[in-house]
Each structure stands twice: as structure tokens, then as C-alpha cells.
Amino acid sequence: MTSAPTFNPPPPQVDEHVLISFPADNILLVTLNRPTSMNCISTQGHVQLASIWEWYDNTSSLRCAIITGARLPQKRAAFCAGADLKEWDSTAGRARPQAGGGFAGLSTRLGKKPVISAVHGICFGGGLEAAGNTDLVLAHKESLFALPETSRGVVAIAGLLPRLALIVGMQRASELALTGRVLSAQEAQSWGLVNEVVEGDVVERAVEVARKIAGMSPDSVIVSRAALRGAWDGVGVDVAATRVEKGIWKQLQAGPNIQEGLRAFVEKREVKWVDSKL
């Protein structure tokens, strides 16, 4: 890991269950750190994570983020096994603090900049809801994916279900949500839930991919992501495309990075991006 850079404002205050680090220039790594509980997330954890993603979006020097789960040697690995069901049971019937962005601050997050899920081990319930709404999912070959909520009398209500039908199709989505079927990493890739299955260190591979994203125009990444995210809004392809073209695309055209990218191409030199103002 590189030494932690200085930010203004600094990262949000979090407890020992959420770790923040910076494995490379312009890249944020968030690690769920409850490995003895399979990195399930408490109510307070959701609030902390939502504040991290908001800070990330508003910190111009950061261009890509990764989320992963801590592991213990000789223990079953988990990206995130979902909600803290013991806490849920103990607080049933009482109001709990609500975090923006859904489960882990991610399952309904719109956001501005990309997040990569680096999955090693169990990715169940809310863990899958969070990963399913990130921009890329890389999974270690031993990872498993499932929505077991119906076996516990609850529902995967954090935002994934309608998205899942778009990602994998209604029938496959139904199989996951209604039967609790467990998918291997390879099956999840074949269904379109996972971009890449990794044999080695999945975080190292995620950093490689994040470096590639961070090496692109930060303005272009933000606008391209906004255009892709329009698919979730249910407004139709033409409306979603027009909204981006008449909105944030105009801001990109007025910024310095489009000029730098074109000039570097003409001059046959290395491009030098500046932090995005979008």
C-alpha cells in the first residue's frame, strides 16, 4: 500500500469494522472488517459506508474505488454475508437509522464515480445486493453468490431485485430470489453477474483494473458511467441518452480534459489529465 495521501476534507470517521486505504494513486480501497461474522454489516456500518461513498464522489483526486471483505487465515472467506441478522432480530419493531444508497451505501447508489467489487468467498443477501449495483464485479474462483432471504422470512428489498431481472433475465432472477440457489463464481460469470473470475489475489487484480480506469479521462469516465446508469431509471434509452447529452456531456465539452486528450493525440504524446470538476 502507498502512504495515505492528504485530503481536504479528510475521509469520514469510521470504526474498526470499516477500513479505508489507498493502494495506488487516485484509488480508494474500502474493506469490510468483520471477518469473524462473515463481514455482515450492522446498521451503523451502512451509515458509515454511505458517508464514505459520498466523500469519495466529492474528492476530485480519487477516480476509482474498490470494496472488498477482510479474511482470516484458515477461515471461510466472505465478501459480505449480508445484514447483521442478530442485530436485526434484537431491534425488530424499532426504528433504525437509515443510510442513503441502500445496503452498504451501494445497493441503490447512483453516485458519480465507479466502484469495483473484489469478491472472495461468500457474497450472500445484502452482499450480493451491494455488489450487483457496483460497476464491475471481480470474483475469486472459490466465491459463492446467493439471495437466501426467503429462507429467513425476509426479502432482498435493498434494491437489487428489479436490477437483477435486467442483468440476468426474469427466469434466472426468479431462480435466485425464490429458491435461494447458490451460484459458483463461474456460474455467476456465465449469468452476467461477474466480469472476471480470478485465481489469485482478487484485490490485486481489482487494483489493476482500477488503475486502468484511473488512467482514463476522469471526465469521460463520469459521463460514460452516467449514460450507462440511465438504464436503471426506466425512462427509455432515448430519454436517458438525451438527458446525458444535454446535461453532463456539455460540462465535459467545456472542461480541460477533452482538450488535453485531443491535443495529446494530435501531438503524439502522453496525456496528462487533471482532476475532474464535474
Side-chain angles (χ1 to χ4, degrees), residues 21-177:
S21 58
F22 306 92
D25 291 344
N26 310 118
I27 296 171
L28 166 68
L29 174 62
V30 177
T31 303
L32 305 177
N33 189 39
R34 298 182 73 190
T36 58
S37 300
M38 293 190 175
N39 295 317
C40 66
I41 302 177
S42 67
T43 300
Q44 185 59 32
H46 296 303
V47 174
Q48 293 177 0
L49 288 161
S51 69
I52 290 171
W53 305 126
E54 182 179 3
W55 173 79
Y56 160 61
D57 272 335
N58 291 319
T59 301
S60 60
S61 61
L62 294 173
R63 301 179 184 176
C64 191
I66 302 165
I67 182 170
T68 195
R71 289 181 285 134
L72 289 175
Q74 311 305 317
K75 297 289 185 180
R76 190 174 190 182
F79 169 74
C80 175
D84 186 336
L85 296 185
K86 292 181 180 179
E87 179 196 54
W88 196 344
D89 177 61
S90 68
T91 60
R94 284 187 283 153
R96 298 185 294 170
Q98 297 297 309
F103 195 93
L106 287 173
S107 64
T108 59
R109 172 183 178 262
L110 296 176
K112 183 168 70 173
K113 292 184 281 189
V115 178
I116 299 171
S117 291
V119 177
H120 190 145
I122 287 174
C123 184
F124 284 4
L128 179 52
E129 293 211 65
N133 193 41
T134 57
D135 300 276
L136 291 90
V137 180
L138 309 182
H140 186 270
K141 64 180 181 179
E142 296 175 355
S143 298
L144 298 172
F145 298 81
L147 293 174
E149 279 83 351
T150 51
S151 69
R152 296 291 179 264
V154 294
V155 177
I157 202 66
L160 178 66
L161 291 180
R163 291 178 173 87
L164 190 64
L166 293 176
I167 295 169
V168 304
M170 180 62 73
Q171 283 69 32
R172 283 177 164 175
S174 298
E175 189 171 350
L176 281 175

Side-chain angles (χ1 to χ4, degrees), residues 225-239:
R225 184 179 182 278
L228 291 168
R229 290 271 151 174
W232 297 138
D233 293 346
V235 295
V237 173
D238 291 338
V239 172

Side-chain angles (χ1 to χ4, degrees), residues 168-190:
V168 304
M170 180 62 73
Q171 283 69 32
R172 283 177 164 175
S174 298
E175 189 171 350
L176 281 175
L178 305 183
T179 74
R181 173 174 172 172
V182 178
L183 296 180
S184 68
Q186 293 78 10
E187 288 173 321
Q189 183 182 35
S190 71

